[in-house]
């Protein structure tokens, strides 16, 4: 019978792309896969600090429904494009940026000369298209930091300059979060769970930075509620020495492998887990009738059983 709730353990981080990573947390107390996964997901999507344009001004326009002679897009289209520029700000105060470009062509975020306080993660983001070679685009905008969502009404009330057009802003640098909770085991204990949390960001923050910030936010919230009460905890369970040795003598037939993979091992005189563990990947690939799919199946099964 379990008398304590053991601590979670970050077992592995898998980089899936430039701004995408999966975090594997195991073994968890039963039911805590969904408990932690849902909590982390909600905080990641709503509460991670980021930066966004909150107001802008284009010379020759007075409101968001203005047409701009010399520019293909109208002001509303430009507003939508500005909202898709991803900034990282090193200042806690609003940062003002002035920008000019002359001549026909596509204007992109990378054309903006940014101050030292700002960094840009998507320089290919289009802002507008100048179709008059003699036209000079003159634009000012303000980048501010925040968490969550800033409505256009609130942005309008907090404008630094009254002649600027306010923008609603989504500050979070986290684009998407998925999680999957599944059962796992350690040794003979099968009443445990594993959580896989996948985070995609906009490039202004790494998935690991977002993950750690979300965890820290939850720690602060729960710590404030717990007061002086403490609950006994224990390190994450691991397979004991006796269990590991017993697992080494387990017959191949008891691993739950497919019939084809199990027969291939048995036909090559591999009858126990100990014999299987003694072989490298290259050794296994050289076995008669043992292919790449069989190798992947064996590795997945040994990982699943923590052998």
């Amino acid at each position: 019978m379990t008398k304590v709730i053991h601590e979670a353990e970050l077992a592995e981080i898998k980089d899936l792309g430039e701004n995408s990573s999966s975090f594997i947390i195991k073994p968890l107390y039963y039911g805590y896969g969904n408990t932690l996964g849902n909590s982390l997901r909600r905080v990641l999507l709503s509460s991670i600090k980021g930066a966004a344009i909150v107001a802008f001004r284009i010379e020759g326009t007075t409101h968001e429904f203005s047409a701009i002679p010399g520019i293909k897009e109208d002001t509303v289209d430009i507003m939508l494009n500005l909202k898709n520029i991803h900034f990282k700000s090193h200042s806690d105060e609003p940062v003002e940026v002035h920008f000019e470009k002359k001549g026909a062509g596509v204007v992109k975020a990378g054309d903006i000369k940014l101050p030292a306080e700002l960094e840009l993660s998507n320089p290919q983001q289009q802002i507008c298209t100048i179709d008059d070679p003699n036209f000079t685009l003159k634009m000012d905008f303000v980048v501010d930091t925040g968490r969550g969502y800033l409505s256009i009404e609130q942005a309008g009330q907090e404008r630094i300059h009254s002649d600027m057009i306010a923008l609603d802003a989504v500050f979070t640098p986290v684009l998407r979060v998925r999680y999957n909770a599944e059962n796992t085991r350690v040794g003979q204990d099968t009443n445990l769970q594993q959580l896989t949390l996948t985070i995609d960001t906009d490039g202004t923050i790494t998935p690991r930075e977002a993950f750690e910030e979300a965890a820290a936010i939850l720690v602060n919230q729960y710590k404030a509620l717990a007061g002086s009460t403490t609950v006994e905890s224990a390190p994450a369970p691991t397979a004991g020495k006796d269990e590991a040795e017993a697992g080494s003598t387990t017959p191949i037939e008891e691993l739950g492998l497919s019939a084809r993979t199990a027969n291939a091992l048995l036909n090559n005189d591999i009858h126990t887990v100990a014999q299987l563990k003694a072989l490298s990947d290259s050794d296994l690939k050289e076995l008669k009738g043992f292919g790449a799919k069989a190798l992947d199946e064996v590795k997945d099964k040994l990982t699943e059983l923590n052998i």
Side-chain angles (χ1 to χ4, degrees):
M1 180 178 66
T2 302
K3 296 185 178 182
V4 295
I5 298 175
H6 61 264
E7 299 170 355
E9 187 173 273
L10 181 57
E12 186 179 359
I13 301 175
K14 295 181 179 179
D15 292 328
L16 307 178
E18 187 175 358
N19 301 309
S20 179
S21 297
S22 283
F23 300 82
I24 300 174
I25 305 168
K26 67 175 184 180
L28 294 170
Y29 186 77
Y30 188 78
Y32 273 39
N34 287 316
T35 300
L36 289 179
N38 190 46
S39 300
L40 285 166
R41 181 178 182 274
R42 294 177 71 90
V43 173
L44 281 161
L45 290 174
S46 68
S47 306
I48 304 302
K49 186 176 181 180
I53 297 176
V54 296
F56 75 100
R57 172 178 53 218
I58 300 175
E59 187 176 279
T61 65
T62 56
H63 55 80
E64 59 266 38
F65 302 107
S66 301
I68 310 170
I71 294 182
K72 180 180 178 181
E73 295 83 0
D74 59 24
T75 308
V76 172
D77 290 329
I78 295 175
M79 288 174 62
L80 295 174
N81 290 337
L82 290 175
K83 290 170 65 173
N84 286 324
I85 302 177
H86 302 147
F87 291 102
K88 180 176 183 179
S89 178
H90 299 284
S91 173
D92 290 330
E93 300 297 324
V95 179
E96 295 186 56
V97 179
H98 177 73
F99 169 59
E100 291 187 17
K101 184 171 182 179
K102 182 179 180 179
V106 176
V107 181
K108 298 181 179 180
D111 296 324
I112 304 171
K113 293 183 179 179
L114 296 175
E117 298 94 332
L118 297 178
E119 294 181 26
L120 181 68
S121 69
N122 59 336
Q124 296 303 314
Q125 171 62 40
Q126 181 173 328
I127 298 175
C128 64
T129 305
I130 301 175
D131 54 15
D132 181 351
N134 297 316
F135 179 81
T136 300
L137 172 66
K138 295 181 180 181
M139 179 186 296
D140 298 280
F141 57 84
V142 177
V143 177
D144 203 358
T145 57
R147 299 179 190 271
Y149 174 74
L150 177 72
S151 68
I152 196 167
E153 291 80 10
Q154 187 177 357
Q157 294 171 0
E158 298 178 0
R159 281 179 297 181
I160 298 176
H161 304 293
S162 60
D163 61 337
M164 282 191 165
I165 300 171
L167 275 178
D168 59 328
V170 178
F171 291 110
T172 179
V174 177
L175 302 179
R176 188 167 66 151
V177 181
R178 292 97 68 203
Y179 76 88
N180 180 49
E182 55 189 344
N183 295 335
T184 188
R185 62 176 288 175
V186 174
Q188 301 303 312
D189 191 351
T190 59
N191 196 33
L192 299 169
Q193 284 195 317
Q194 170 180 310
L195 170 65
T196 302
L197 188 78
T198 303
I199 303 172
D200 299 336
T201 71
D202 63 10
T204 61
I205 187 174
T206 66
R208 176 149 194 169
E209 289 171 334
F211 175 83
E212 292 179 351
E213 184 175 341
I217 290 172
L218 286 172
V219 167
N220 290 341
Q221 295 295 307
Y222 289 132
K223 187 176 181 180
L225 299 176
S228 59
T229 301
T230 59
V231 176
E232 181 185 1
S233 64
T238 57
K241 182 178 179 182
D242 293 340
E243 291 177 335
E245 291 176 351
S248 296
T249 61
T250 300
I252 291 297
E253 295 91 335
E254 295 183 11
L255 284 181
L257 298 169
S258 66
R260 183 172 181 175
T261 300
N263 287 335
L265 292 171
L266 294 172
N267 291 337
N268 285 278
D269 293 325
I270 300 171
H271 299 279
T272 67
V273 171
Q275 292 175 309
L276 181 60
K277 288 171 61 179
L279 300 176
S280 65
D281 288 359
S282 58
D283 292 333
L284 288 171
K285 289 179 181 178
E286 293 176 0
L287 296 178
K288 185 177 179 180
F290 197 88
K293 289 185 178 180
L295 175 61
D296 291 339
E297 182 184 355
V298 167
K299 291 171 68 175
D300 290 341
K301 179 60 66 174
L302 293 180
T303 300
E304 177 188 336
L305 300 178
N306 199 36
I307 297 176

